[in-house]
Amino acid sequence: MNNVVISGRIEDVIEPFFTDKKLCIGRFTLIVQRPKNDRKITPGSSPEDRYDFVRCIAFGKQASVLTSFKNAGKKITVQGRIRTGYYFNKEGKKINTTEVIVNNFEYDGGEDFHDFGSYEEVI
């Protein structure tokens, strides 16, 4: 089973992107704090030592809702599945990718849970 639930803060404003068929896509990065036993907190340590930056992508209604708000820094819980892939950069080097395909999300702080169906149902 491929299922993940993560909670963190949205890194930046989510800008909508539309396909030729008018499908809304929203890509964003979720900043997730690592467990205390997995953080390297020392003088001069960078945020990358204390947080994971998880790439997420939402489609259809989820993307429309997420991109309609100025939500940078907002705390959110995302439920979805992990998708991996790769591409070759300009130098011909293979770059591996990992992202979460958003099925559901919830703004932390009491807002209702948004369930708009899965990625497969939207397309």
Side-chain angles (χ1 to χ4, degrees):
M1 179 186 303
N2 184 352
N3 187 43
V4 63
V5 177
I6 55 174
S7 184
R9 295 195 180 274
I10 298 172
E11 183 179 37
D12 204 354
V13 174
I14 304 170
E15 296 293 337
F17 170 79
F18 293 91
T19 65
D20 295 339
K21 295 182 180 182
K22 308 283 190 254
L23 176 67
C24 185
I25 299 173
R27 290 185 180 273
F28 61 98
T29 300
L30 199 59
I31 304 170
V32 180
Q33 191 171 30
R34 290 181 180 167
K36 287 185 180 186
N37 60 351
D38 193 24
R39 289 187 234 158
K40 300 172 186 166
I41 301 174
T42 60
S45 64
S46 68
E48 288 80 17
D49 295 332
R50 296 178 296 237
Y51 300 94
D52 288 311
F53 294 81
V54 181
R55 295 181 46 96
C56 300
I57 185 168
F59 296 91
K61 292 179 184 177
Q62 294 102 330
S64 295
V65 171
L66 283 167
T67 60
S68 65
F69 299 105
K70 301 293 184 211
N71 45 24
K74 202 163 204 182
K75 199 166 186 194
I76 187 173
T77 299
V78 170
Q79 181 274 326
R81 64 182 174 84
I82 294 176
R83 179 173 70 180
T84 61
Y86 67 90
Y87 65 93
F88 292 96
N89 65 11
K90 292 178 183 177
E91 293 79 33
K93 182 179 178 186
K94 182 178 176 181
I95 306 295
N96 292 308
T97 62
T98 303
E99 59 191 357
V100 174
I101 306 298
V102 177
N103 285 332
N104 303 297
F105 68 90
E106 177 180 343
Y107 286 113
D108 293 353
E111 289 96 353
D112 292 334
F113 193 72
H114 298 280
D115 182 357
F116 296 108
S118 68
Y119 165 65
E120 288 82 6
E121 293 170 354
V122 174
I123 293 186

